Amino acid sequence: MITEASDLAADATKPARVSKHRRDPASRGERIWAFNFLAPFIVGIAVFYYIAIVASSYFSFTRYNLLKPPTWLGLDNYRFLIGNELFRKALWNTAKLTLVGVPVTIVLVVGLGVALNSRIRFQGVYRLIFFLPLVTMPVASAIVWRWMYSPETGLFDQLLGPFGVDRVEWLSRPGSALWAVLAMEVWRQSGLFLLIVLAGLQNIPEVYYEAATVDGATAWQRFRHVTLPLLSPSLFFLAVTGSIAAFQTFDAVIVLTPGGGPLNSTRTVVFDIYGSAFESLRMGRAAAASMLLLAVILVVTAVQFRMQKRWVHYE
């Protein structure tokens, strides 16, 4: 009797099996509504991303100028780009913007995030100031930065003048033009980066800091052994998304240094794609450059995900 009772009790605790053929009308309606809401986004992604990628991959093997039907060339466009010194220079400039700009931005926003997450006066005002780049249009920001770089009336030269520094041609010298663009990109990305870092910092339980303090850890030791490990998932996300954004730098270049800067010192891959497509009407060559850029981004992203276990110490 006890065995039978226990078996009945076990059967009673098992979840009831619902036949696959019996559909809940309410859940079916929810699925239909969910699909209706997602459909515009799915269609947009399919049309403007996946279909565009397939079309670009085809045009990259052709000669196409929008006026005549495309002519098949095979790998000629890719051979030209790989052997073209101007494209290699654009790729190298893009790599410098990525390899320098992303780490600098991350280090900067981590320091700002730790400061803004502490109890300081006028904390809300500081957060508003640092979040302004996030809500400012990139072209409008570039116009303001171009004025600040002006050697005649620019803000930077006026601030350096009392220290005996002569006027600096920030955007007219090959040695400084790219770094001027980099400075603006660091400022522009800092708002979004800071938002994510602050969210990560606020998710760290305070009990870890209290335990470290009880153990006698200094402020640097708490930052090194508590903050950084627990913040590493956010930093990994910033490294991936920041690298993708840096490889697509365009608006700052075209506004600050029209034509790609002095001696093409600020020419990037996306700027090169724009020039080939809309200035020279060489759509096939532009498509090939975009495919090479996509391949580079995929490789960099794959390497970063491969290193994720070393990056992320806490899950």
Side-chain angles (χ1 to χ4, degrees), residues 202-220:
Q202 292 173 0
N203 283 331
I204 299 177
E206 191 67 23
V207 65
Y208 293 132
Y209 293 108
E210 295 174 356
T213 304
V214 171
D215 290 339
T218 62
W220 167 250

Side-chain angles (χ1 to χ4, degrees), residues 13 30 67 71 73 87 99 113 117 121 129 132 139 143-144 154 170 176 180 183 191 200 217 220 228 231 302 305 314:
T13 57
E30 291 177 357
L67 303 176
T71 304
L73 294 178
F87 180 78
L99 296 175
N117 197 47
R121 297 182 61 183
I129 292 174
L132 282 178
V139 175
I143 293 174
V144 174
W170 300 98
S176 61
W220 167 250
L228 279 183
L231 194 61
F305 273 93
Y314 173 77

